[in-house]
């Protein structure tokens, strides 16, 4: 092997290239079909190392290369540990990491991290389940192949926004730990989730009554908690008796695959509990619950309509108090418009639908929820015997103000919400959306990546509960004619993907969870 050239190295792939800087750090991974900065952010390499509670660094001590290989050697700054990263680039890009204990005493590595991040404008999707692991990077705009690998040797503990983590690892004197994978470009995600990765459910959140299917009969299945295991035509089915997270292990000669599956209650039960919690909140001087916002009010409204509230009178009082505040204020956002329309249906107060109408007609920009609110408003207006033309005209006008969504260095979640709002509006304005246009295909095409196209794992930079609920709702409302266009490339339709991820929304717990459930409520009413 020869020393690294001063200008760095570029290796060719059949349809792309891998470029390294003079220090052996990754600079760029590019596909010939795209002219941007590449799939991965510069700097792939060793991160922090934690041994016996002490954090230390890796120091580069050597580097050699030849026509198709680059090998970079590192030494830990405080222990007798060495790390060798070997890149082999031929028809694909192989990466092999070897950590060796060069000392005379055992070493316990608590954590060893690797820097690995997608470039701006790209999404990262990772599965780290011990011996079963994979990583995919793909354009956030949905236009282009995927760069992905499946773990060939070793185990990975977890993925973070900054990269991958190994450990714990116990190394005897002269002991070595190896991790190896093979990057390659894939034209579509349809086949990536099959084979080895397919042993992990996608996603790993299910509704009570849904089993996890274990297809591999050659692995030893180890479960924790109150799980039941049955066999159906050679397939082992694991189910939970109570909601909650449960660990599952699959042990084989290749290693142990570890993952957690969470079972959640059905939508009606989650909604009933959420409404109960909302109604137990702060009250006015007269003892009426003060609903915090329109999302909380929508949950109570829907629970009341479906007779999921134990005592309807306090719920109705809380809704009337909240609606009175909206009437006094006058101008409402999309969630508030949808709520007022529901209250008009419940009470018959025409002031409610009039404020909802005037609020929507005064909208100056496309916002999340605008299309769903307009749908509820049009239904209310038609029930009241009033025309809906001016509402649809206003939405058509707003649609023409939408330009191309810039990506650049904006947060992926912000770009996602913009695209969802545009698609949501098109679904209302273009009522014959089954006549699929390029604009619809473009928007739907970029949404599947935020759910990993159905691959097991999760985004390396997950979106919040609110945004996830919005995404699941909009995808679930797409006509079948639209979804059929993506079955071959994704391996699943957008609607089926939304169905899979609805339990994930139900299981959420961040501060936007009420809004996430409110999206599901609006989607159920619009279906």
């Amino acid at each position: 092997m020869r020393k690294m050239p001063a200008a760095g190295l570029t290796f060719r792939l059949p349809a792309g290239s891998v470029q390294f800087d003079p220090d052996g750090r990754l600079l760029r991974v590019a596909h010939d079909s795209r002219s941007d900065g590449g799939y991965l952010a510069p700097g792939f390499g060793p991160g922090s190392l934690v041994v016996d509670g002490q954090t230390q660094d890796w120091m580069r001590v050597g580097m050699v290369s030849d026509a198709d290989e680059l090998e970079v050697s590192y030494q830990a700054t405080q222990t007798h540990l060495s790390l060798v990263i070997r890149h082999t680039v031929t028809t694909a890009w192989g990466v092999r990491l070897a950590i060796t204990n060069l000392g005379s005493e055992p070493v316990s590595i608590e954590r060893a991290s690797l820097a690995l991040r997608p470039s701006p404008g790209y999404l990262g999707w990772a599965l780290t389940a011990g011996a079963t692991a994979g990583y995919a990077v793909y354009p956030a705009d949905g236009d282009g192949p995927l760069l992905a690998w499946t773990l060939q040797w070793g185990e990975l503990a977890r993925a973070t926004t900054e990269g991958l983590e190994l450990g714990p690892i116990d190394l005897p004197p002269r002991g070595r730990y190896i991790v190896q994978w093979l990057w390659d470009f894939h034209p579509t995600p349809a086949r990536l989730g099959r084979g080895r990765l397919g042993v992990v459910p996608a996603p790993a959140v299910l509704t009570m009554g849904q089993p996890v299917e274990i297809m591999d009969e050659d692995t030893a299945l180890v479960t924790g908690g109150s799980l039941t295991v049955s066999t159906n035509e050679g397939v082992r089915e694991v189910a939970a008796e109570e909601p909650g997270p449960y660990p599952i292990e699959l042990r084989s000669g290749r290693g142990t695959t570890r993952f957690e599956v969470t079972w959640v209650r059905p939508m009606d039960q989650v909604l009933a509990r959420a409404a109960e919690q909302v109604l137990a909140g702060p009250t006015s001087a007269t003892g009426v619950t003060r609903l915090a916002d329109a999302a909380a009010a929508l949950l109570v409204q829907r629970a009341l309509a479906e007779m999921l509230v134990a005592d309807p009178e306090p719920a109705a009082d809380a809704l009337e108090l909240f609606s009175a505040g909206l009437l006094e204020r006058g101008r409402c956002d999309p969630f508030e418009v949808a709520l007022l329309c529901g209250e008009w249906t419940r009470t018959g107060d025409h002031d409610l639908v009039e404020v909802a109408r005037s609020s929507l007609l005064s909208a100056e920009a496309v916002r999340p929820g605008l299309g769903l609110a307009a749908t509820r408003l049009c239904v209310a207006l038609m029930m009241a015997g009033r025309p809906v033309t001016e509402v649809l005209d206003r939405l058509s006008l707003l649609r023409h103000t939408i330009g191309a969504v810039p990506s650049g260095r904006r947060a992926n979640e912000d770009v996602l919400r913009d695209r969802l709002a545009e698609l949501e509006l098109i679904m209302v304005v273009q009522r014959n959306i089954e006549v699929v246009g390029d604009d619809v295909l473009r928007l739907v095409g970029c949404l599947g990546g935020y759910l990993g196209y159905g691959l097991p794992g999760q985004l390396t930079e997950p979106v919040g509960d609110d945004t996830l609920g919005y995404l699941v709702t909009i995808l679930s409302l797409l006509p079948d004619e639209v979804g059929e266009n993506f079955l071959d490339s994704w391996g699943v339709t957008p609607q089926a993907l939304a169905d899979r991820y609805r339990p994930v929304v139900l299981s959420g717990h961040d501060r936007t969870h009420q809004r996430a459930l409110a999206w599901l409520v609006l989607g159920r009413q619009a279906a």
Side-chain angles (χ1 to χ4, degrees):
M1 300 185 92
R2 55 188 170 87
K3 293 183 178 180
M4 168 73 83
L9 275 179
T10 299
F11 296 98
R12 281 294 305 174
L13 291 165
S17 60
V18 184
Q19 183 179 358
F20 298 90
D21 70 13
D23 292 326
R25 291 254 177 185
L26 182 71
L27 271 181
R28 185 170 182 258
V29 184
H31 191 271
D32 294 341
S33 67
R34 297 181 65 87
S35 59
D36 54 18
Y39 279 66
L40 295 173
F44 166 71
S48 62
L49 173 68
V50 181
V51 178
D52 295 329
Q54 300 295 317
T55 301
Q56 51 190 287
D57 297 318
W58 294 102
M59 177 176 62
R60 183 171 63 86
V61 295
M63 182 167 51
V64 290
S65 66
D66 62 17
D68 59 10
E69 281 193 352
L70 169 64
E71 185 175 284
V72 188
S73 302
Y74 301 87
Q75 178 69 45
T77 55
Q78 300 176 35
T79 53
H80 295 289
L81 290 173
S82 75
L83 167 65
V84 176
I85 301 180
R86 180 181 297 166
H87 303 272
T88 304
V89 186
T90 53
T91 57
W93 169 28
V95 178
R96 180 181 183 271
L97 294 88
I99 301 176
T100 304
N101 178 9
L102 302 176
S104 58
E105 298 294 331
V107 174
S108 294
I109 300 174
E110 296 170 30
R111 185 176 69 253
S113 66
L114 294 165
L116 178 63
R117 294 182 296 108
S119 292
Y122 286 78
L123 301 176
W125 189 268
L127 171 67
T128 49
T132 300
Y135 197 99
V137 183
Y138 38 84
D141 61 12
D143 184 18
L146 295 81
L147 176 67
W149 56 257
T150 299
L151 189 66
Q152 297 178 311
W153 191 264
E155 294 188 6
L156 289 171
R158 66 191 62 83
T160 70
T161 57
E162 298 301 319
L164 303 171
E165 291 185 356
L166 293 74
I169 303 169
D170 293 322
L171 286 177
R174 303 297 172 179
R176 176 177 294 178
Y177 188 82
I178 295 174
V179 177
Q180 184 171 313
W181 63 76
L182 189 69
W183 288 100
D184 204 356
F185 287 109
H186 301 263
T188 69
R191 295 186 180 275
L192 280 178
R194 301 175 185 174
R196 188 177 295 170
L197 297 184
V199 302
V200 179
V205 182
L206 303 171
T207 304
M208 290 295 297
Q210 289 182 287
V212 172
E213 296 184 343
I214 308 297
M215 310 293 254
D216 188 352
E217 296 180 344
D218 297 327
T219 58
L221 172 63
V222 180
T223 63
S226 56
L227 296 178
T228 61
V229 180
S230 60
T231 302
N232 183 15
E233 297 182 355
V235 177
R236 286 173 291 179
E237 296 183 344
V238 182
E241 298 178 358
E242 295 291 336
Y246 296 87
I248 293 178
E249 291 187 0
L250 301 175
R251 299 175 181 175
S252 68
R254 205 188 147 270
T256 300
T257 296
R258 306 176 188 87
F259 56 93
E260 185 177 85
V261 179
T262 298
W263 275 269
V264 298
R265 301 180 189 277
M267 172 71 177
D268 288 350
Q269 294 182 28
V270 173
L271 178 59
R273 288 191 170 202
E276 181 181 2
Q277 292 173 355
V278 167
L279 291 171
T283 61
S284 67
T286 58
V288 178
T289 300
R290 291 188 178 276
L291 301 175
D293 54 26
L298 283 167
L299 299 183
V300 172
Q301 186 183 74
R302 186 64 180 182
L304 183 61
E306 296 188 9
M307 296 183 288
L308 300 175
V309 178
D311 189 351
E313 186 173 346
D317 291 342
L319 289 170
E320 290 174 8
L321 179 62
F322 187 81
S323 299
L326 297 182
L327 292 180
E328 183 177 350
R329 194 182 70 203
R331 190 164 180 173
C332 301
D333 66 25
F335 267 35
E336 292 165 344
V337 168
L339 176 78
L340 289 178
C341 292
E343 283 302 280
W344 174 82
T345 301
R346 189 177 68 86
T347 67
D349 184 347
H350 288 282
D351 289 342
L352 298 169
V353 76
E354 185 55 39
V355 170
R357 172 184 162 278
S358 63
S359 295
L360 194 140
L361 293 179
S362 63
E364 298 176 351
V366 177
R367 299 176 59 184
L370 185 65
L372 292 172
T375 299
R376 295 194 74 176
L377 176 59
C378 288
V379 171
L381 290 173
M382 287 187 291
M383 290 176 63
R386 300 177 59 181
V388 300
T389 305
E390 58 183 352
V391 174
L392 296 177
D393 288 346
R394 183 61 184 171
L395 295 181
S396 296
L397 179 63
L398 289 174
R399 182 189 173 189
H400 291 303
T401 67
I402 300 174
V405 177
S407 54
R409 292 186 176 273
R410 296 178 64 213
N412 284 327
E413 187 164 359
D414 293 337
V415 176
L416 170 60
R417 291 180 72 86
D418 285 347
R419 288 169 171 154
L420 284 169
E422 182 178 357
L423 180 60
E424 177 191 357
L425 194 64
I426 292 174
M427 290 168 62
V428 177
V429 175
Q430 187 178 324
R431 283 161 289 180
N432 60 335
I433 193 174
E434 59 270 12
V435 181
V436 183
D438 290 341
D439 54 349
V440 173
L441 295 179
R442 171 182 60 83
L443 288 167
V444 177
C446 73
L447 299 179
Y450 290 89
L451 299 179
Y453 301 106
L455 299 171
Q458 63 180 11
L459 281 174
T460 57
E461 294 188 25
V463 299
D465 287 356
D466 175 18
T467 301
L468 181 61
Y470 187 23
L471 173 59
V472 166
T473 295
I474 297 304
L475 289 181
S476 69
L477 294 175
L478 287 170
D480 292 341
E481 293 82 359
V482 174
E484 291 169 356
N485 287 272
F486 299 92
L487 183 57
D488 289 341
S489 59
W490 294 6
V492 62
T493 65
Q495 299 92 326
L497 195 53
D499 289 343
R500 291 185 192 177
Y501 272 84
R502 191 170 289 108
V504 182
V505 179
L506 296 177
S507 72
H509 55 270
D510 75 10
R511 61 184 178 82
T512 67
H513 186 225
Q514 283 187 359
R515 285 188 62 85
L517 294 180
W519 283 117
L520 298 187
V521 165
L522 290 177
R524 177 184 284 191
Q525 293 169 333

